[in-house]
């Protein structure tokens, strides 16, 4: 793959035929993709955990007015005890990866501390765990019609209800995922 073919800042949309329970009907935000592999965060699998629960577990006091009602997401099956924050550009955090001119992913707890104090990013999603693919693995899965890809859309990332994100991501391509056959083929 050439650098222009990599899928950083794209959505990976599971095809209806996807049977892997980790990825069935998921939308994954790819935040890094290069010759060594790919990393992503599943953006439509909320956990039974709120951001306030994370603050409490990490013993981070919250500032007045910080409620932490936002659900935490199951970002993927890898390192499910590690946090990832996808957010709009702004602030200076210890371990941040620039994904696009408007989006970053931060993996250091200093961003959570800032969020608990009410000084974190205005728009963010928090996930535990990530999805990862080794070199060539994602490309093979794409060739097997396991996924559709579309440019990441901030409205879906931050504003669309979790249960609507899979179909909304398909609509970015003009596709109603509910009407696609779960049988795949190659032309």
């Amino acid at each position: 793959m050439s650098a222009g073919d990599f899928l950083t800042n794209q959505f990976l949309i599971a095809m209806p035929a996807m049977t892997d329970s980790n990825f069935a009907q998921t939308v994954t935000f790819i935040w890094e993709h290069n010759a060594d592999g790919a990393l992503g965060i599943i953006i439509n699998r909320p956990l039974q955990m709120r951001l306030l629960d994370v603050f409490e577990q990490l013993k981070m006091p919250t500032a007045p007015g910080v409620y932490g009602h936002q659900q935490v997401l199951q970002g993927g099956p890898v390192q499910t005890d590690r946090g990832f924050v996808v957010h709009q550009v702004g602030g200076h955090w210890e371990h941040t990866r620039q994904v696009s001119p408007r989006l970053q992913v931060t993996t250091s707890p200093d961003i959570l501390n800032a969020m608990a104090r009410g000084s974190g990013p205005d728009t963010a999603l928090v996930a535990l765990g990530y999805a990862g693919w080794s070199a060539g693995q994602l490309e093979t899965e794409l060739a097997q019609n396991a996924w559709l890809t579309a440019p990441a859309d901030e409205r879906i990332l931050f504003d669309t209800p979790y249960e609507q994100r899979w179909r909304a991501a398909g609509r970015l391509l003009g596709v109603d995922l509910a009407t696609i056959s779960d049988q795949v083929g190659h032309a």
Side-chain angles (χ1 to χ4, degrees), residues 47 53 102 114 125 129 141:
L47 295 168
D53 299 324
R102 295 184 44 84
L125 64 81
E141 292 177 14

Side-chain angles (χ1 to χ4, degrees), residues 150-165:
D153 183 307
E154 290 181 44
R155 292 169 301 183
I156 294 173
L157 266 174
F158 300 120
D159 300 328
T160 303
Y162 302 120
E163 68 278 1
Q164 296 174 22
R165 291 180 179 186

Side-chain angles (χ1 to χ4, degrees), residues 29 31-32 38-43 47 51 54 58 70-87 93 95-97 99 104-112 115 121 123-132 157-158:
F29 173 64
W31 60 278
E32 184 173 331
L39 300 173
I41 303 293
I42 296 170
I43 64 163
L47 295 168
L51 191 52
V54 173
L58 297 174
Q70 174 184 346
Q71 282 187 279
V72 175
L73 299 174
Q74 177 190 346
V78 182
Q79 291 188 340
T80 56
D81 59 340
R82 187 170 176 200
F84 297 82
V85 180
V86 179
H87 56 94
W93 322 112
H95 297 289
T96 297
R97 167 116 170 117
V99 179
Q104 297 175 315
V105 173
T106 299
T107 59
S108 51
D110 58 340
I111 193 169
L112 292 173
M115 292 169 80
T123 304
L125 64 81
V126 177
L128 293 177
Y130 69 94
L157 266 174
F158 300 120

Side-chain angles (χ1 to χ4, degrees), residues 29-50:
F29 173 64
I30 301 297
W31 60 278
E32 184 173 331
H33 186 207
N34 56 41
D36 296 325
L39 300 173
I41 303 293
I42 296 170
I43 64 163
N44 64 326
R45 291 260 173 100
L47 295 168
Q48 294 299 315
M49 177 185 292
R50 305 269 180 199

